[in-house]
Amino acid sequence: MPKFKAILSDIDGTLTESEELHQEAFVRISKQLGADISNAEAESYRGISLKDKYASIESRLSDKIGYDAFAARIASYYMKNWQKIDIMPGAKDLIKQAHAQGVRIGAVTNGTRPEADTNIGALGKDTTDLIEFTISVDDVKRGKPAPDGYLQGAFRMGIEPKDILVLEDTPTGVAAAKAAGMTVIQIQ
């Protein structure tokens, strides 16, 4: 019997290689609205929720459209360019092998719902059918590094946090998993 009853995985940078598309969308939409964001600055926001990114640049925007409209533009750009999303090596095999051993699988992301659904869809139906649910930043009060998404995942599965293994790629996500009382592996 496996030591862990479930795996909760981050998505961007863990299951899919989509961080570059996130960064591209953020830089381009910000520029359209008057804020010149360098790639280096955008990289510094890796793992941070879009809402927090927006709050940090809002004063620099010449076109103050508000967070919801900003998020909608980002989502539209992201979904139009979904073909740029790559699958992380071994991600599909890991999900299939864990499922075959009776380990339940869910996903928790600081991405928005449209981004999360686009990324999970990129894995293909043979893999997405094995993932019980996806929790996006839109589904929780506080995004990572708060533990809300991971705690909601444990609740939805009916499994104690100590019995869940988390796969993460950012310090923000690692902090969230640890705050939830879960074991975490940071993928680099």
Side-chain angles (χ1 to χ4, degrees):
M1 176 168 219
K3 178 180 179 190
F4 295 103
K5 296 178 182 174
I7 294 172
L8 290 176
S9 181
D10 177 49
I11 301 174
D12 308 301
T14 307
L15 298 178
T16 62
E17 184 51 69
S18 49
E19 293 286 354
E20 287 181 23
L21 180 55
H22 280 287
Q23 184 172 318
E24 180 182 312
F26 181 69
V27 168
R28 289 205 182 178
I29 299 304
S30 297
K31 186 173 184 120
Q32 289 173 6
L33 299 172
D36 207 9
I37 308 292
S38 69
N39 283 330
E41 180 182 359
E43 178 66 25
S44 74
Y45 294 125
R46 190 169 181 218
I48 305 298
S49 72
L50 183 59
K51 193 172 282 189
D52 290 340
K53 290 178 195 177
Y54 178 78
S56 72
I57 67 158
E58 184 176 20
S59 65
R60 295 163 46 195
L61 299 174
S62 57
D63 189 355
K64 308 260 192 246
I65 63 172
Y67 171 73
D68 290 338
F70 182 79
R73 286 190 186 186
I74 295 280
S76 176
Y77 183 93
Y78 195 85
M79 289 185 288
K80 285 178 186 170
N81 292 280
W82 71 269
Q83 71 280 3
K84 294 181 179 182
I85 299 169
D86 291 320
I87 307 306
M88 294 295 283
K92 291 176 78 157
D93 288 339
L94 172 73
I95 291 168
K96 290 175 183 176
Q97 288 176 18
H99 184 266
Q101 293 179 23
V103 177
R104 296 172 65 191
I105 303 151
V108 178
T109 181
N110 248 0
T112 62
R113 171 57 51 201
E115 294 164 342
D117 292 345
T118 300
N119 284 337
I120 291 296
L123 291 169
K125 188 163 176 43
D126 64 323
T127 305
T128 60
D129 285 349
L130 306 178
I131 299 171
E132 292 182 26
F133 56 81
T134 301
I135 297 171
S136 78
V137 73
D138 299 332
D139 302 319
V140 294
K141 185 173 181 177
R142 302 174 302 161
K144 301 172 190 176
D148 301 22
Y150 286 118
L151 292 173
Q152 184 179 41
F155 177 79
R156 285 179 70 171
M157 289 180 157
I159 297 175
E160 292 292 320
K162 68 179 179 55
D163 294 323
I164 297 174
L165 175 66
V166 172
L167 304 177
E168 267 290 353
D169 68 315
T170 66
T172 303
V174 169
K178 286 182 177 180
M182 298 175 182
T183 300
V184 61
I185 295 174
Q186 185 172 5
I187 297 170
Q188 306 234 346

